[in-house]
């Protein structure tokens, strides 16, 4: 198959839904072998099946990014099936908003565990495989505008995404001697299933001003992103076009916070 990532084997966590599913489909359309790694194995299976129907190569694996053992298994199953790993997307993430003064340690730790520790584990396990393959490899992390500016209705989420940005920079510095690049992108507001629960939770908190409609009203380009708006940047970061870029976060937010 031809395409900008033809023949590359690419793992995408959180690929069963939203941004991850769109990225997985977009990479497959550009010729990649795509591994869909998600806690929700039925959702990952469905996306894998749609890729296969479109003529792409795909594999669904159940992964909990907070459980290193399952991440290692995903690496092993990918290598079994496709021979190697070329690119690894740490995209799985979640949110659970609380008013700032009510945030509990449990809430903070749960969000940090998935969004930040999960990214650390993903970078480490991908990099170990890249190093064992002797050179090259790309890691791409899903950050957020919430990692660039703190939102009071979901402060732990903002902190976790700031951690993703810091981990991207630290890993880029550590892994450059192995020829591995580490980058990320920071979406603004993307119309995905994540917002269904988030909007309901924010409304129940009396924080509708942090909800989808309110956040979207200030975007310079006049609309929220669709998951497909993320795909060209994801393909660019996975392709050789981005070989001289590392440690960077690309904002994809339609003109929102502008930092
Ligand atoms: N939607 C937005 O507006 C937006 C904006 C900025 C950043 N993001 C980030 O983009 C990424 C994808 O979000 P989305 O909007 O597509 O959400 P989504 O809820 O549609 O999809 C998230 C996927 O991650 C999976 N997942 C959750 N926890 C997991 C775990 N522990 N292990 C493995 N898989 C797990 C879920 O099963 C789901 O399939 C997240 O990191 C999110 O924080 C989203």
């Amino acid at each position: 198959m031809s395409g900008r990532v033809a023949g590359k084997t690419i793992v995408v966590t959180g690929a069963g839904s939203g941004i991850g599913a769109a990225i997985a489909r977009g990479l497959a359309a550009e010729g990649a072998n795509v591994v869909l790694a998600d806690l929700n194995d039925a959702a990952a299976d469905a996306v894998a099946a749609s890729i296969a129907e479109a003529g792409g190569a795909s594999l669904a694996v159940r992964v909990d990014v907070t459980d290193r053992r399952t991440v290692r298994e995903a690496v092993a199953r990918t290598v079994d099936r496709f021979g190697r790993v070329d690119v690894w997307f740490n995209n799985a993430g979640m949110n659970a908003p609380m008013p700032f003064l009510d945030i509990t340690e449990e809430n903070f730790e749960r969000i940090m565990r998935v969004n930040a520790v999960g990214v650390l584990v993903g970078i480490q396990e991908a990099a170990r495989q890249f190093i064992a393959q002797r050179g090259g490899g790309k890691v791409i992390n899903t950050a957020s505008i919430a990692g660039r500016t703190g939102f009071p209705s979901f402060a732990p989420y903002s902190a976790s995404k700031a951690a993703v940005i810091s981990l991207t920079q630290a890993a880029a510095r550590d892994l450059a001697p192995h020829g591995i690049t580490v980058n990320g992108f920071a979406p603004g507001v993307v119309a995905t299933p994540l917002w269904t629960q988030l909007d309901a939770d924010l409304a129940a908190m009396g924080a509708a001003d942090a909800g989808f409609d309110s956040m979207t009203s200030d975007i310079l380009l006049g609309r929220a992103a669709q998951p497909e708006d993320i795909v060209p940047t994801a393909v660019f970061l996975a392709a050789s076009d981005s070989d001289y870029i590392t440690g960077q976060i690309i904002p994809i937010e339609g003109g929102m916070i502008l930092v």
Side-chain angles (χ1 to χ4, degrees), residues 17 19 38-39 63-65 91 142-143 157 161 188 190 192 195:
S17 177
I19 294 170
D38 204 295
L39 194 55
V63 163
D64 179 347
V65 297
N91 169 77
T142 303
Y157 180 85
K161 292 299 185 177
V190 190
T192 72
W195 276 99

Side-chain angles (χ1 to χ4, degrees), residues 13-21 37-40 43-44 63-67 90-95 114-115 142-146 157 161 185-195 198 212 227:
T13 71
S17 177
I19 294 170
D38 204 295
L39 194 55
N40 183 339
V63 163
D64 179 347
V65 297
T66 70
D67 179 352
N90 289 305
N91 169 77
M94 49 82 68
N95 199 353
V114 177
N115 294 3
T142 303
S144 168
I145 55 165
Y157 180 85
K161 292 299 185 177
F185 53 85
V189 180
V190 190
T192 72
L194 177 140
W195 276 99
L198 185 54
F212 186 86

Side-chain angles (χ1 to χ4, degrees), residues 124-137 174-175 177-180:
Q124 290 173 324
E125 296 305 326
R128 288 199 174 107
Q129 176 60 28
F130 293 154
I131 292 166
Q133 292 169 182
R134 301 190 184 284
D174 192 65
L175 298 171
H178 299 284
I180 298 168

Side-chain angles (χ1 to χ4, degrees), residues 70 77 85 111 136 153 181 187 198 219 224 236 239:
T70 68
R77 289 191 55 200
V85 183
I111 293 166
S153 300
T181 63
L198 185 54
I219 296 173
F236 166 71

Side-chain angles (χ1 to χ4, degrees), residues 143-151 157-159 161-163 165-166 169 184-187 247-251 253 257-259:
S144 168
I145 55 165
R148 291 278 193 216
T149 188
F151 287 88
Y157 180 85
S158 292
K161 292 299 185 177
I165 295 169
S166 297
Q169 295 169 341
F185 53 85
Q248 306 299 320
I249 301 291
I250 300 180
E253 41 93 278
I257 64 164
L258 307 186
V259 290

